[in-house]
Amino acid sequence: MIKRNRFHKKSFRILLTIILLLGTFLADWSLGRPASIHAAGSLSDADFLKTNGTSIRKSKGTGSTAYLRGTNAGGWLVQESWMNPTNAPDQKTMMNTLKDRFGAAARDELLSVYEDHYWTTQDFDNISAMGMTVVRLPFTYMNLVDDSGNLKADAWSRLDWFVENCRQRGIYVILDMHGAFGSQNGMDHSGEVNDGNQLYGNPNNRQKTLWLWEKIAEHFKGNPAVAAYDILNEPGIKAAATGRTQWDFYNEIYNRIRAVDGDHIIMMESCWDAGNLPHPRDYGWTNVVYEYHYYPWDSVTSVPGQAAYISSKVADIRSHNYGVPTFVGEFTSFDIEDAWKNTLSTFNREGWHWTTWTYRVTGSNNSWGIYNLNAEAVDIYHDSKDTIRQKWSKVGAQYSAVNSKIYNVIKPYLQGTTDPGSGGSPLFADGEYYLTSVANGGVVSAENGGADPLVANRSAVGGAWESLRLENNSDGTVSFKSMANQKYVCAVIDESNQLLARSASIGTWEKFELVSTGNGDYGIKAVANGKFVQANFNVGGRLEATQDRVAGAWEAFKITRMGDS
């Protein structure tokens, strides 16, 4: 990730289980953290994710909608000096320096000390307790290959351990290649600072990167806990925008992965703006997600400035209409609670997927981390092996503290709320409203006293048939009750997805998300299938939840309170 001046990126077995659980509780208690563990079921084959239009759905794209919301495990497998206890300018320099001073075996042992302690089962329990559904896991080629460029004998041990611990807790993992051979951007967060041309301009590094992605795909093929392959992090040279050079290489990686794994989602990073990516049809890409990283550097201390920045990103993505899911893989709202609330409520309202940057960082007052680590930095040039070993054994949960502001502001949004936090208000207060189709100006009616589907065909509000009571739900969604028959409007997913006022109570099929188009109109997204409602004028303006996006007037509605002009 980009940082300005680098400031700016689970008989005897029963007893053992009891002991481990007690230890977890005591560790949490001693640090003032919540000891409860989120009781999510483990992931199975039925949870395998694929895209379906702009949604991500289980059962390989045919099941219920999944929302990926969580954080990054940045700093575990890729160290950055601004957020980790090291003075190394990049991962490669650290590895080479420790090898030169102590030998390869000692270097690898020291790195194992760090990695064994930095992320433990306590950290999985922490993110599970928050309600996260995903973790983006940055790694580099150096985690998987030896100094000769061959796969390590234990190449998969850490990734397998991480993925399995997440799977057991019902959490998905996004495998993020943060650093490719030669570096895809030349920045320190790629693991190697250079001119940024050592991947795209070096055929050998390109081929090794393609080979490594093939090996990763072969290894994780069929694993339901892996949500996606994030093929290159921030791949613009020296943090510049992506273009044809990156797109063509994405296509090479895509084809190499698809040759061995036809099922996993592949993520393409922009990473700044929607225009920095091609339309997926240009390359024949399917089952892909487009990823963006958002850092409002010009408005670090300004709530309105950050709100305008996020609003511009919404307009940017909408205007490009790529028809694929949107994932914000890295972002922060710095130290401003109201900005965090606006950003997260916007992401959820848009149906985007997101992971904050990041889970843990060094420094007691660092606004980048959900947890702050109090650890002494290793001097890779002068510290002895024993000193490094001692320092890197104190980098885990027991040496970390909750960043209460960031923790508390993020947690509600992991559940999908679109309420901008305490003291905020929903888009519309509970009450009676009528809907008007932007396409024809027709007022929506519950035809035949609610016995027939809703249809946009009335020239004006005539009475109860056109009146809907809007009710806000605790998860940020809304439901509509027809005044014609006092039944809740249902998206009848097993019958052509039409909207019908037939339900006595609110369940998933009776919940909708309201998505502002930015000009006073709204898209209405059915939670049951993640599709937007359209007034289908091929069948008389009948309301049907069938569209991937608000593509035009057929999917746009005005929501007016009864009695208002």
Side-chain angles (χ1 to χ4, degrees), residues 5 28 48 54 64 74 155 165 195 227 229-230 239 302 318 403 418 439 457 481 495 550:
N5 296 327
D28 271 340
F48 199 106
T54 58
S64 60
N165 270 275
D195 63 7
Y229 302 137
D230 187 347
S302 170
R318 286 182 183 170
N403 185 340
T418 56
N457 67 352
K481 179 187 283 188
E495 295 178 12
V550 179

Side-chain angles (χ1 to χ4, degrees), residues 100-365:
D100 290 344
R101 293 185 64 202
F102 309 125
R107 172 202 64 190
D108 294 347
E109 184 267 333
L110 291 172
L111 285 173
S112 290
V113 170
Y114 174 85
E115 292 170 1
D116 287 345
H117 287 83
Y118 189 86
W119 195 284
T120 68
T121 55
Q122 180 63 60
D123 298 298
F124 295 112
D125 290 341
N126 287 346
I127 63 175
S128 180
M130 286 188 74
M132 292 187 186
T133 58
V134 71
V135 181
R136 181 171 177 258
L137 176 58
F139 65 93
T140 77
Y141 73 93
M142 289 175 274
N143 300 113
L144 302 178
V145 303
D146 59 24
D147 293 336
S148 299
N150 300 312
L151 279 178
K152 297 177 180 178
D154 61 347
W156 309 111
S157 59
R158 293 205 183 273
L159 296 187
D160 283 346
W161 172 80
F162 195 96
V163 170
E164 177 58 18
N165 270 275
C166 284
R167 186 197 67 79
Q168 292 173 8
R169 293 164 174 80
I171 300 170
Y172 291 98
V173 177
I174 295 169
L175 296 177
D176 157 42
M177 186 173 283
H178 226 66
F181 288 92
S183 173
Q184 70 277 13
N185 53 39
M187 306 294 285
D188 63 336
H189 48 82
S190 73
E192 180 176 355
V193 176
N194 57 39
D195 63 7
N197 293 295
Q198 302 309 306
L199 173 62
Y200 308 114
N202 185 314
N204 187 44
N205 285 334
R206 291 169 64 98
Q207 288 304 313
K208 287 191 292 187
T209 299
L210 291 170
W211 162 80
L212 187 55
W213 263 120
E214 180 179 13
K215 294 301 180 183
I216 295 169
E218 285 177 347
H219 184 78
F220 288 103
K221 178 181 180 180
N223 192 318
V226 173
Y229 302 137
D230 187 347
I231 57 177
L232 285 176
N233 178 70
E234 298 187 359
I237 296 172
K238 304 304 284 188
T242 57
R244 181 67 62 180
T245 296
Q246 287 76 26
W247 306 347
D248 288 348
F249 193 51
Y250 289 167
N251 194 48
E252 291 186 62
I253 298 174
Y254 173 92
N255 289 328
R256 188 66 70 94
I257 292 173
R258 285 288 178 251
V260 297
D261 184 346
D263 291 325
H264 271 113
I265 294 169
I266 295 176
M267 290 181 164
M268 312 291 191
E269 292 200 22
S270 163
C271 62
W272 311 123
D273 296 310
N276 303 146
L277 285 170
H279 199 287
R281 66 172 173 243
D282 295 347
Y283 286 90
W285 297 337
T286 60
N287 195 30
V288 297
V289 167
Y290 277 9
E291 177 179 344
Y292 309 90
H293 294 179
Y294 291 154
Y295 294 112
W297 282 114
D298 293 333
S299 303
V300 172
T301 62
S302 170
V303 174
Q306 291 197 40
Y309 173 88
I310 294 300
S311 180
S312 73
K313 300 306 181 182
V314 172
D316 181 36
I317 291 173
R318 286 182 183 170
S319 68
H320 285 83
N321 289 329
Y322 286 132
V324 300
T326 295
F327 171 54
V328 184
E330 295 183 16
F331 71 98
T332 185
S333 294
F334 302 101
D335 200 32
I336 309 180
E337 186 173 353
D338 286 343
W340 276 99
K341 292 176 180 179
N342 176 74
T343 295
L344 292 169
S345 62
T346 300
F347 290 177
N348 287 354
R349 187 172 293 122
E350 292 298 310
W352 295 353
H353 309 265
W354 49 267
T355 49
T356 71
W357 190 273
T358 187
Y359 174 73
R360 176 188 288 130
V361 296
T362 53
S364 59
N365 294 307

Side-chain angles (χ1 to χ4, degrees), residues 398-413:
Q398 63 269 50
Y399 301 99
S400 303
V402 172
N403 185 340
S404 298
K405 178 189 291 186
I406 306 301
Y407 183 103
N408 291 332
V409 77
I410 291 171
K411 188 173 181 179
Y413 295 96

Side-chain angles (χ1 to χ4, degrees), residues 3 17 57 59 80 137 160 188 196 220 229 235 242 248 294 318 411 435 444 489 526-527 529 561:
K3 304 292 181 301
T17 300
R57 298 174 68 175
S59 298
E80 299 179 49
L137 176 58
D160 283 346
D188 63 336
F220 288 103
Y229 302 137
T242 57
D248 288 348
Y294 291 154
R318 286 182 183 170
K411 188 173 181 179
L435 306 181
V444 173
V489 174
V527 172
N529 64 357
R561 195 174 187 101

